[in-house]
Amino acid sequence: MNHDMIELAFIAVAALALLTQAIILLAIYSGMSKAVKSLKQDFEDMKSSVLPTAEKTRDLVEKSRTLVERVSPKLESTVTDLSELAHLLRTQVTDVEAAVEQILERVRQQSNRIDGMFSGTLDAVDKASGFVTNAVSKPVRQLSGVLAALKAVIESLRTYDSSYQGAHDERGIRDDQNLFI
C-alpha cells in the first residue's frame, strides 16, 4: 500500500469521527433548546396563574385600607368587625403562602427533573463517545500493525534478494538498520 493511501484512509476515519461527533453535539443542542423552551413555557404558565392571585390580594388589601379609613371615627363600634376582617385576611394570606410554596416546590421538582435529564444525556453522550473512540481506534491500530508487518516483510525480502545476488556490502548492512521497529 502507498503511504498516501494510508494517510488518506486515516484522514477519512478522522473525518467520519468528527462528523459523528458533530451530529451528536447537534442532537444535544436540539434537546437543550427544546428543554429551555419547555421550561420557559412552564414558567409563563406559573406566572399567569400566580399574578391573578396577587392582584386579587392587592385589591383586597386596598379595599381593607379604605374600609379602615371610613370606619376609624366609629372605631369602638366596629372593633369586632375589624377582628373578623383581620382573621379573613390572615387565612387568605396563608392560602396565598401555601399556593406560593406549592409553586416553588413544583419549580424545584422540575429543576431536579431537568438536571437529571441533562446529567443522563451527558453521561450517555460520554459513554457513546468512548465507545466510538474505542471502535475507531482499535481497527486503526490493527491496520497499522498489519501495514508495519507487511512493510517489514517486503523490506526483508528485498534485502534477502539483494544479498542472494552476491551483494554483501555495506549497503546491505545499512538496509538492516532500517528494519528496526
Side-chain angles (χ1 to χ4, degrees):
M1 289 193 115
N2 188 358
H3 177 70
D4 292 336
M5 291 298 290
I6 294 170
E7 186 177 354
L8 183 61
F10 283 133
I11 290 172
V13 168
L16 182 62
L18 286 173
L19 180 63
T20 304
Q21 186 178 13
I23 290 170
I24 289 171
L25 288 174
L26 184 62
I28 290 172
Y29 173 75
S30 175
M32 292 285 280
S33 66
K34 286 180 184 178
V36 166
K37 287 179 184 176
S38 173
L39 187 59
K40 283 182 181 178
Q41 182 62 33
D42 289 343
F43 180 76
E44 290 298 323
D45 291 345
M46 286 189 296
K47 185 178 172 182
S48 66
S49 66
V50 169
L51 285 179
T53 305
E55 290 296 324
K56 288 178 185 177
T57 304
R58 185 179 297 141
D59 292 340
L60 184 61
V61 168
E62 287 297 321
K63 288 178 184 178
S64 299
R65 186 177 297 146
T66 57
L67 178 64
V68 168
E69 289 174 1
R70 278 189 311 190
V71 295
S72 61
K74 302 175 185 179
L75 186 60
E76 295 172 359
S77 65
T78 59
V79 168
T80 56
D81 294 335
L82 287 176
S83 174
E84 291 174 3
L85 181 62
H87 184 314
L88 178 65
L89 284 174
R90 283 186 198 121
T91 57
Q92 287 182 354
V93 166
T94 303
D95 292 343
V96 168
E97 287 177 355
V100 168
E101 285 297 324
Q102 287 177 350
I103 290 169
L104 289 175
E105 184 58 33
R106 288 180 189 162
V107 168
R108 283 186 205 109
Q109 289 173 352
Q110 290 296 328
S111 296
N112 290 336
R113 185 172 150 241
I114 288 171
D115 183 46
M117 288 187 316
F118 286 151
S119 297
T121 301
L122 292 176
D123 288 343
V125 167
D126 189 35
K127 287 180 183 177
S129 169
F131 176 76
V132 168
T133 300
N134 288 336
V136 169
S137 67
K138 187 174 181 181
V140 168
R141 282 184 279 156
Q142 290 174 348
L143 180 64
S144 176
V146 168
L147 292 175
L150 285 174
K151 181 180 176 185
V153 167
I154 291 170
E155 288 295 323
S156 174
L157 289 176
R158 190 182 313 162
T159 303
Y160 177 75
D161 187 38
S162 66
S163 66
Y164 183 76
Q165 294 174 0
H168 292 279
D169 59 351
E170 285 185 31
R171 183 174 163 227
I173 294 172
R174 276 189 245 131
D175 286 342
D176 285 345
Q177 291 173 352
N178 291 334
L179 291 178
F180 182 75
I181 297 176

